[in-house]
Amino acid sequence: MNRLLLLFIVPFLMISCNQIKQSGTPAGDVIAITWEFQGNHATDGYYNATFVLENRGDTPLGDGGWTLFVNQQGSGVIQESITGNVAIDHVNGDLLRISPKAGFQLHPGQSVEISYRNPGWMIKESEVPLTPYMVYGDANEKQIAVLVGEYEVLPFPALELIFPPSSGIELPDAAWVYKQNSLLSLLEPGTTGNVLPTPVKEIYSGETIILDKNTKIYHQKGLENEAGYLAELLEQVTGSVAELKVGEEGGPGAIILVIDGKRFNGNEAYQVSITTSEGIVIAGGGDAGVFYGIQTLLSLLPPETWGNSTGKLEMKAGVVVDQPAFVYRGFHLDIARNFIEPAHIKRLIDVMAYYKLNKLHLHITDDEGWRLEIPSIPELTQVGAHRGHTLDERDHLIPSYGSGPDPLPESSHGSGYLSRETFIELLQYADDRHIEVIPEINFPGHARAAINAMEARYERLMKERKSEEAESYRLVDPDDASVYSSAQIFNDNVICVCTEGPYRLFEKVVDEVTEMYSEAGLTLTTMHTGGDEVPRGCWTASPICQAFLEEHPEIGEVENLQAYFGERLLEILKRKGLVMAGWEEVAMKRDEEGRWIPNPMLVGEDVLPYVWNSLDSNLDLGNRLANAGFPVVLCNVNNFYFDLAYTHHPAERGQHWGGFVKTRSAFDFIPYDVFKSTLYDKYGHPYDPETDFKGMEKLKLDSYKRVIGLQAELWSETVKGGTMAEYYYLPKMIGFAERAWAGQAAWGLISDQEERVAAMDKDWNRFANMIGQREMPRLDYLFGGYNYRLPPPGAVNKEGKLFANVDFPGLTIRYTTDGSEPDDTSPVYTEPVEVSGKVLLRSFDTRGRGSRVSLVEN
C-alpha cells in the first residue's frame, strides 16, 4: 500500500471525578480526519501540513463543547499560520489540543481544512500526528473521550519536497543506496571468519566432526546452568536432547565444559577446542567464560541448520581463543516512554547474551511512565504507569507518543509496568545468561511520572488527615512559578531538590529494589540515577529553593543545585555500598563562567558517568571526563543510539535529532580516538579535522584504562512494542558487539586517514558478508527468530541494464518489471540484467520476509 491508513475501533470513555468508564455515543462523534504533510521550506526553516476534518454524523459540530487532541513530537505550531477558525495549543510534552473558535461550524457531510506551519523540518513518517481523539464536554464537567473513527495519513510528498535542492542533502533513493554500497562485494563462504564478535584467534584444521543424537555434554560441578543452556539450544538443531553428565570424560562425540581459572586472564576468557580425538572442549576462566565459549560453538554451527534440523551436524575442527576488550558491554532499554513487554525483554536478553553483551541498563522511570512496582508506594504505578485522557493527572498521566485516551495497558504501549515478581524473574533470567541488570531511577529532571504520582498520594493522605505522611514523599514546591521547557517540551518535570521529599523517596525506592535483588539471589551493585537534561530556568522562581540558597551560600547560584542534588544521592548510595551511575551530568558542574566542567570533588568517588553527548563541541566529552580521572562508559549518540533511524529515508522509522545510526556506525567506532571515526555529519558531508575538531581534548594514554566499556541505547519514543524494538536493534547490535567485545580494531591505529579508511572499508566488507551470509540466516530461527531490519536494495539503471546491491552481501535480492511488488517467488537478481521501464526490488531473508521496496525508473 502506498497510503498510510490508520483505522481505529472507537471506544467511548467518560471521565468524571477522575474515573473512566464506558459511555454512550455523544452527538457529533463520527469525525473522520486526514492529515497531509506538504513539504519542507529549507530557506525559512518550517514545513506545511493540513488536517481535514469531515463530519460523517447527523449533528453539527459547533464552536464549543468539543476538543481534538493529538500527539506529535516537535517544536510547536507557528500560531499566525493556522487556518480553519480553530486554535492549536501545546498542552504538555507532545500533546496538542485543537479547539474551535467563535463561529466555527461543521455541518453533517461537510469538511473543514486546518492548515498550519511547524518550525523545523519533518523528514520521517514516524513523526506524523498520532492517535487523534475527540473530547466532548466542559473542562469542569463530565467529559467523553472518543477515538477518531477513521484517521488517514496521506502519502508523503516527493523526496525533492522533503529534501529541497537548496538543502544540499542527497535524496535517499535507490541510487543513493547503491552508491553507499558501492565498495561492498560478495565474498566466498568460509573466507570471512566464522564467529562474531570477532575472536582474538580462530584456527581450523581442515577436519570435521559430527554432532548428532548421541552427543553427550560433560560438565564440571557448578556448570549445570551452562550445560542445560547448551543442551536446550542444541536440541533446536539436532532434534534430540543431549545427555548431561557431571565429569570430564571427553572423547569423540562429547562436549566438555570446564573452568580453568589459572589458564585464563579473567572470568570471561575462554577457549573452544574441536578435535576428532577429544571432541569439543570449552574451557573458561570462569562460568561466564564457559558461557561465552558456548556462544562461539553455536556460531560455528552451519547457519542453515537452525531452520532445517537434520539430526546430524558437521562442524569444522579447530581452536578459538578469545577474551573481551571491555569489562562493560552494555545495552540500554527504555521501557518508560513506551512499555516493552517482559517476554520481549527476555528475547533481548537472549540475543544480548548470544553476542556476548553483559549489562542491561533498564530505564524504568521518566516523564512518561514509572514502570516498576514499589509495593509500599502504590501510586508510583497506579498513576505513573498509565496514560490516558485525564482532567488533572491524579488518576493517570496524559497521553504521549500516540498512546490514546484509554489508560488500560491492552489499549496501547503507553500503560504497563513490571510487577515486583516479574522484575525478580527478569533479574534471574538475565543472571542465568551472565547479564547484570542495572536499574535507572531518573532524577531530578525526567521525573514527571513520579511527581504526579506523589501529588496523587499527597492529596489522598491529606484527605485522610495524614499531613506528615503526605509531605514525606512530596517532590514539588507548590508555589514554584519557574518557567522552563525540557528536551521533550514538558514544563513541569523537575523535582524540587531543596526539600527532603525527593531524598526520602529515592532512598525508599533503592531499599525496595535492593530487596528485589536479594530475593532473586543477587546483589545490587550499581544504581543509575539519570541526572540528564535538567532544563535552564527550573528552581529560579521557587520560594523554597530561594530560601534554601540563602541559608546555604556555599552552593552559589541556582544552577549548582543539580550538582548539590547529585552529591546528596551519592551520600545515600555510599551508605548502602552502591556505585552511583548516571548520565555525564552527574560528574559535572558549572564553573564561574557557567560552563559544564568535570566536577573535581567527585573524582575518586564511586561515580560512573555514562557519556551520551558526543554532538558538535561535545565530541570529546568522554575524553575530558576520563582525563579528569573518572571511569566512563561511552554511549556516543553518533554511533550507539539505536532509536535514531538507519537512514534519512522518510519510511525509515526513528529519530534523527542526533543523526542516523546504522550497523556500520557502531562498527566504525574508535574508542580511544573518536576524531578518527567521526568522518561525516549526519547527511554525509565530510568533516575537516583541522577546523571542526580544533581545540578538542584527546584521550591521554594513561586514561585508556578509564574507558571501562561501551553501551548502546534504545529509547522508545517511536518504538511500539518488543517486535518493533527488534527492528531497531538488529542488526545494529552486531556492529556494536564487535566493538564492545573485540575492542578497537587494528585499523584504528593507522594515522594516515586515506589508508585508515581503506582498511576500515575492507574490514567492513568482511563483516557485512558475515552478517548477510551467517548472522541473518541464524537470526531467522535463533530463539524463535527475530524481526531484524532487512535493508532495501540499492539499484540503478545503466543503459538499459539493472545493477543492484545490498547492505549485507548474501541476502537475496528479487525484482519485478510489471509494476507488482516483489515476493519470495519473484526473479532473483544475481548479475546485471537488461530491463526497461519501472523496476521494483526487495531483499529477502531465508523465511521469505521482504524489505521495503526500492524503485528504479528509466
Side-chain angles (χ1 to χ4, degrees):
M1 295 178 64
N2 64 354
R3 298 168 73 87
L4 297 174
L5 181 61
L6 307 176
L7 296 175
F8 296 104
I9 299 172
V10 186
F12 308 101
L13 305 170
M14 180 174 286
I15 301 173
S16 179
C17 300
N18 299 332
Q19 298 296 317
I20 292 185
K21 60 183 180 180
Q22 296 294 321
S23 172
T25 307
D29 73 292
V30 187
I31 300 296
I33 296 179
T34 60
W35 182 85
E36 183 178 17
F37 165 49
Q38 294 156 331
N40 292 310
H41 292 255
T43 304
D44 299 317
Y46 65 82
Y47 68 84
N48 287 340
T50 298
F51 283 105
V52 175
L53 276 62
E54 181 184 355
N55 188 347
R56 295 181 179 177
D58 54 12
T59 305
L61 200 64
D63 59 5
W66 67 271
T67 310
L68 174 65
F69 290 90
V70 65
N71 288 116
Q72 185 179 21
Q73 296 182 65
S75 302
V77 175
I78 300 172
Q79 290 295 317
E80 58 270 22
S81 70
I82 302 169
T83 68
N85 202 26
V86 299
I88 304 177
D89 300 307
H90 173 242
V91 179
N92 219 339
D94 70 339
L95 186 63
L96 301 178
R97 174 178 54 227
I98 302 175
S99 52
K101 291 183 176 180
F104 179 95
Q105 286 291 319
L106 182 59
H107 293 283
Q110 293 186 344
S111 61
V112 62
E113 185 175 285
I114 302 170
S115 295
Y116 61 97
R117 295 174 180 173
N118 267 38
W121 277 29
M122 172 172 282
I123 68 171
K124 292 291 179 185
E125 292 173 3
S126 53
E127 296 178 285
V128 304
L130 299 173
T131 320
Y133 67 93
M134 299 287 288
V135 173
Y136 298 93
D138 187 274
N140 298 315
E141 299 176 357
K142 293 180 179 179
Q143 292 188 348
I144 298 175
V146 188
L147 267 179
V148 167
E150 183 177 303
Y151 175 44
E152 182 179 9
V153 176
L154 298 182
F156 267 38
L159 290 177
E160 292 82 358
L161 292 177
I162 301 173
F163 305 102
S166 60
S167 70
I169 298 172
E170 291 189 70
L171 302 183
D173 54 15
W176 177 81
V177 176
Y178 184 82
K179 183 172 73 172
Q180 297 295 303
N181 296 334
S182 61
L183 296 178
L184 293 172
S185 61
L186 183 65
L187 300 178
E188 287 293 324
T191 63
T192 60
N194 298 280
V195 181
L196 290 182
T198 304
V200 173
K201 181 171 67 175
E202 54 181 323
I203 302 172
Y204 302 98
S205 66
E207 297 180 302
T208 59
I209 69 163
I210 301 296
L211 293 179
D212 57 23
K213 64 181 181 179
N214 298 315
T215 298
K216 295 181 175 61
I217 300 175
Y218 296 88
H219 62 89
Q220 283 181 349
K221 193 173 182 180
L223 290 174
E224 289 79 8
N225 174 68
E226 287 68 31
Y229 176 90
L230 174 58
E232 184 178 340
L233 286 172
L234 282 181
E235 182 182 2
Q236 184 176 338
V237 290
T238 64
S240 58
V241 180
E243 184 180 354
L244 303 181
K245 290 189 173 184
V246 176
E248 303 176 29
E249 295 181 23
I255 301 174
I256 307 168
L257 309 180
V258 297
I259 293 175
D260 187 351
K262 295 181 180 179
R263 183 175 164 193
F264 296 98
N265 179 24
N267 180 56
E268 295 182 314
Y270 70 87
Q271 177 175 301
V272 178
S273 300
I274 305 172
T275 63
T276 55
S277 59
E278 297 183 8
I280 300 172
V281 179
I282 300 176
D287 53 357
V290 172
F291 184 77
Y292 295 135
I294 288 171
Q295 308 302 342
T296 288
L297 176 64
L298 298 173
S299 294
L300 291 170
L301 298 176
E304 63 273 10
T305 61
W306 291 92
N308 184 27
S309 174
T310 62
K312 190 174 183 179
L313 296 176
E314 189 175 275
M315 292 186 64
K316 294 180 179 180
V319 177
V320 178
V321 180
D322 206 5
Q323 67 181 48
F326 293 108
V327 297
Y328 188 109
R329 306 178 301 280
F331 189 94
H332 163 278
L333 179 66
D334 170 16
I335 65 171
R337 267 59 179 275
N338 279 312
F339 188 60
I340 305 292
E341 307 86 341
H344 283 281
I345 298 176
K346 288 182 177 180
R347 285 176 54 77
L348 169 63
I349 290 170
D350 283 332
V351 77
M352 283 177 61
Y354 180 76
Y355 287 114
K356 304 182 175 76
L357 305 183
N358 66 351
K359 310 288 183 183
L360 174 59
H361 172 183
L362 206 54
H363 186 84
I364 53 181
T365 78
D366 214 299
D367 296 322
E368 303 89 343
W370 181 289
R371 306 299 185 182
L372 178 62
E373 179 189 24
I374 305 297
S376 65
I377 315 175
E379 284 88 355
L380 285 173
T381 45
Q382 288 174 354
V383 175
H386 299 83
R387 298 202 298 258
H389 186 70
T390 173
L391 295 176
D392 57 11
E393 297 189 272
R394 294 300 173 262
D395 44 1
H396 48 258
L397 306 177
I398 59 173
S400 297
Y401 313 120
S403 54
D406 189 345
L408 294 178
E410 43 283 14
S411 298
S412 76
H413 296 286
S415 298
Y417 64 91
L418 301 176
S419 69
R420 187 177 189 277
E421 292 73 20
T422 299
F423 184 64
I424 290 170
E425 181 189 352
L426 280 174
L427 294 177
Q428 294 169 329
Y429 191 87
D431 183 64
D432 286 344
R433 288 149 184 81
H434 297 276
I435 291 173
E436 177 186 6
V437 177
I438 297 173
E440 179 182 348
I441 307 298
N442 202 343
F443 286 141
H446 289 283
R448 195 171 185 277
I451 289 170
N452 280 284
M454 292 304 91
E455 285 299 281
R457 177 183 182 274
Y458 173 82
E459 292 180 9
R460 172 178 65 83
L461 291 170
M462 289 299 287
K463 289 176 182 177
E464 297 172 6
R465 300 180 182 272
K466 299 176 181 178
S467 58
E468 184 176 349
E469 188 178 351
E471 290 284 357
S472 61
Y473 295 146
R474 200 176 192 192
L475 302 179
V476 298
D477 173 357
D479 298 319
D480 189 351
S482 302
V483 176
Y484 59 84
S485 182
S486 75
Q488 281 73 37
I489 324 297
F490 287 108
N491 56 27
D492 56 358
N493 76 332
V494 183
I495 63 177
C496 178
V497 301
C498 305
T499 63
E500 290 303 306
Y503 307 103
R504 295 191 195 101
L505 177 66
F506 179 77
E507 185 161 10
K508 181 61 176 174
V509 170
V510 170
D511 286 344
E512 294 217 12
V513 171
T514 300
E515 290 177 7
M516 295 180 206
Y517 275 75
S518 180
E519 191 167 322
L522 304 170
T523 300
L524 177 66
T525 65
T526 305
M527 176 61 73
H528 199 289
T529 62
D532 64 320
E533 296 182 327
V534 177
R536 286 291 188 100
C538 64
W539 307 313
T540 54
S542 161
I544 290 177
C545 285
Q546 293 305 313
F548 182 82
L549 288 172
E550 288 181 11
E551 293 173 9
H552 298 277
E554 71 278 6
I555 293 175
E557 299 299 322
V558 69
E559 290 86 356
N560 290 332
L561 285 173
Q562 183 176 355
Y564 161 78
F565 177 77
E567 291 166 6
R568 287 285 306 272
L569 296 194
L570 178 60
E571 291 175 6
I572 293 171
L573 295 176
K574 283 175 68 174
R575 292 199 307 268
K576 301 176 186 300
L578 299 175
V579 172
M580 187 179 90
W583 304 111
E584 64 254 17
E585 289 97 323
V586 301
M588 303 183 77
K589 63 176 293 185
R590 293 198 183 275
D591 64 12
E592 294 178 354
E593 298 178 8
R595 299 172 302 184
W596 277 106
I597 63 168
N599 188 345
M601 300 296 293
L602 298 181
V603 175
E605 300 283 356
D606 282 332
V607 176
L608 177 59
Y610 289 50
V611 187
W612 68 268
N613 192 351
S614 57
L615 299 175
D616 304 321
S617 62
N618 285 310
L619 179 60
D620 66 339
L621 184 53
N623 296 349
R624 283 185 268 147
L625 282 163
N627 289 342
F630 288 98
V632 297
V633 175
L634 299 181
C635 311
N636 294 36
V637 171
N638 324 56
N639 306 89
F640 302 146
Y641 264 45
F642 288 0
D643 56 303
L644 298 180
Y646 284 87
T647 73
H648 59 297
H649 193 284
E652 194 65 64
R653 289 190 61 86
Q655 305 271 26
H656 58 89
W657 60 270
F660 304 95
V661 170
K662 52 189 177 183
T663 307
R664 184 166 180 178
S665 302
F667 175 87
D668 280 354
F669 188 64
I670 300 176
Y672 303 128
D673 196 339
V674 293
F675 309 115
K676 287 182 180 177
S677 54
T678 308
L679 304 176
Y680 303 95
D681 70 12
K682 68 179 183 178
Y683 288 115
H685 304 131
Y687 283 114
D688 179 359
E690 294 288 328
T691 57
D692 292 317
F693 307 145
K694 185 178 181 181
M696 291 191 182
E697 193 170 318
K698 292 188 175 182
L699 188 67
K700 297 175 182 177
L701 189 61
D702 65 354
S703 296
Y704 283 21
K705 62 181 179 293
R706 297 193 187 98
V707 180
I708 67 168
L710 313 179
Q711 180 168 283
E713 277 64 48
L714 180 58
W715 300 95
S716 67
E717 291 100 322
T718 61
V719 178
K720 306 300 171 64
T723 300
M724 186 182 290
E726 292 173 11
Y727 179 96
Y728 280 76
Y729 67 70
L730 285 170
K732 292 179 185 180
M733 182 186 288
I734 308 174
F736 171 77
E738 178 75 358
R739 273 314 131 245
W741 178 274
Q744 184 160 297
W747 36 257
L749 299 174
I750 299 174
S751 57
D752 181 78
Q753 180 164 312
E754 186 175 342
E755 183 182 348
R756 182 176 65 256
V757 171
M760 291 167 70
D761 289 341
K762 182 179 179 181
D763 196 25
W764 170 248
N765 189 48
R766 171 196 69 87
F767 196 83
N769 270 268
M770 289 188 71
I771 292 177
Q773 295 186 39
R774 297 186 63 85
E775 300 308 308
M776 286 178 164
R778 186 183 293 107
L779 288 170
D780 285 339
Y781 301 98
L782 185 67
F783 307 121
Y786 283 85
N787 180 45
Y788 60 81
R789 176 190 184 253
L790 279 165
V796 293
N797 188 320
K798 298 181 182 179
E799 298 179 351
K801 277 194 172 184
L802 175 69
F803 289 77
N805 58 25
V806 70
D807 293 24
F808 303 110
L811 288 175
T812 300
I813 300 174
R814 295 180 182 272
Y815 68 97
T816 59
T817 56
D818 61 0
S820 64
E821 186 173 292
D823 59 25
D824 59 359
T825 65
S826 301
V828 175
Y829 174 88
T830 56
E831 59 184 4
V833 59
E834 291 187 3
V835 294
S836 61
K838 181 187 296 185
V839 182
L840 302 179
L841 307 94
R842 299 171 76 195
S843 63
F844 286 84
D845 66 14
T846 65
R847 295 170 288 185
R849 194 172 59 103
S851 70
R852 191 175 73 243
V853 173
S854 294
L855 168 66
V856 176
E857 295 184 278
N858 283 342

